[in-house]
Amino acid sequence: MNENRVAIIGIGMTKFGELWDYSYRDLITEAGIKAITDAGIEGEDIQELYVGSMSPGLFAGQEHIGALVADYSGLSGIPATRVEAACASGGLALRQAFLSIKSGRNDIVVAGGVEKMTDVPTGAAMMALMGAGDEQWEAFQGITFPALYALMARRHMKEYGTTLEQISEVSVKNHYNAQFNEYAQFRFEVSLEEVMDSPPVAEPLRLLHCSPITDGSAVVILASEKKARELKDEPIWISASALATDSLALHDRKSLSRMDSVILAAKKAYKQAGIEVKDIDFLEVHDCFSIAEILAIEGLGFCKLGEGGILTEEGQTKIDGDIPVNPSGGLKGKGHPVGTTGISQAVEATLQLRGEAGKRQVKDAEIGLIQNVGGSGATCVVHILSRG
Ligand code: COA
């Protein structure tokens, strides 16, 4: 990698939830205007745009997203590209924007994410989401995403003795954190009993182990080191951007109880940033189902494989724990507008590193890691952000 550093200089986000008053384009326009205002730039300063959106055609009847977003943001004319990697579309858009600046081609680039999922019934949303799995071997056979993650949960429980209580503690923590996040879909606490007794979705996973179906958008503005230093006293730096892949179909994986794409992306990211696991102060990870947070902290190296449940049960992943995970409330509490999630993680990490996260602020946050997964782990994008 060359020495041209890349910074986040502006962030913007809509509220997440069932947003009946917003159209697809309203969502990204609102998040974009907030980010431009936060960056203190003009629209004409923006040289390129990447937008992550998983399935706007099936969720909102709209394709051709790059040009649409440029047009509605008043940026018509600039190069604008839609990026798709299922639920990791946002993370991948961030990476493309990062690479655009890193290459020396541009100084100010936008990375956005947008999804409008609640305009179709749940069954149709599930069908759209299953496009992220293997059509031939999974979707066509009738399996859904909750069921794929249920298979991983069962394997983890069998292999390591992980308990449903431990998996449920992830949901309890993330709902607790989401109370303090003004953007979150579910700003209420749930007890362990409520999680364990919630309606079954795909055994052993229950309603309160699942992320919801969500509308929402988030935007970040990236700048080259020269521009960032001109525009901001304390920009937030992206010190690593790593991407790894695995097979789409679960049955082709070496193991169901770990995600090799996460392990691989994390190794690359630590090497790029020149840091070790112990240097990281907080994580925003992809808990689309609560078992996924356990797989994430294990794959990212915060404990041995099989010990993620114990770490969670001991409270080490709480905001005031040794390694806070998902202070935003995660996908479970904050919501999961699929193509937006990776960008919303960057927004949260920026707020944390600026010290602007209010009641969910992680103490002395200097370095944060964000991890965004596509499908059941076929894509994993990891970024490391820091203050200095
Ligand atoms: N967590 C907590 N509450 C939820 C919820 C969730 N994940 N999903 C829905 N609810 C609540 C709703 O707010 C609503 O509450 P109310 O009655 O107080 O208004 C109630 O449950 C019923 O909502 P509804 O929209 O009818 O739920 P549903 O049965 O249609 O959908 C799921 C529930 C779990 C099937 C759906 O949220 C889902 O598919 N989640 C997974 C999404 C996914 O796969 N994402 C990609 C990951 S890779």
Side-chain angles (χ1 to χ4, degrees), residues 18 54 59 86-87 117-118 121-123 125-126 129-130 132 144-149 175 185-186 188 190 198-201 206-214 286-289 331-333 336 338 373-377:
E18 278 190 52
M54 177 188 161
F59 289 131
C87 306
M117 300 172 73
T118 70
T122 303
M126 277 222 179
L129 290 167
M130 261 326 282
T144 61
F145 263 100
L148 288 170
Y149 277 88
H175 267 268
Q185 182 163 1
F186 295 139
F188 55 85
V190 292
S198 59
V201 175
R206 294 174 170 266
L207 181 70
L208 290 174
H209 298 119
C210 302
S211 61
I213 290 169
T214 309
H286 196 96
D287 60 316
C288 51
F289 299 92
L331 284 54
K332 178 70 206 77
H336 182 28
V338 282
V373 166
S376 57

Side-chain angles (χ1 to χ4, degrees), residues 51-55 59 83 85-93 112-117 129 214 216-218 336-344 372:
V51 57
S53 201
M54 177 188 161
S55 198
F59 289 131
V83 176
C87 306
S89 300
L92 203 57
V114 54
E115 214 79 63
K116 179 91 178 86
M117 300 172 73
L129 290 167
T214 309
S217 178
H336 182 28
V338 282
T340 305
T341 286
I343 302 290
S344 71
N372 189 200

Side-chain angles (χ1 to χ4, degrees), residues 337-359:
V338 282
T340 305
T341 286
I343 302 290
S344 71
Q345 293 175 325
V347 169
E348 175 68 14
T350 303
L351 288 171
Q352 290 286 348
L353 293 166
R354 286 179 178 175
E356 293 174 359
K359 286 188 179 165

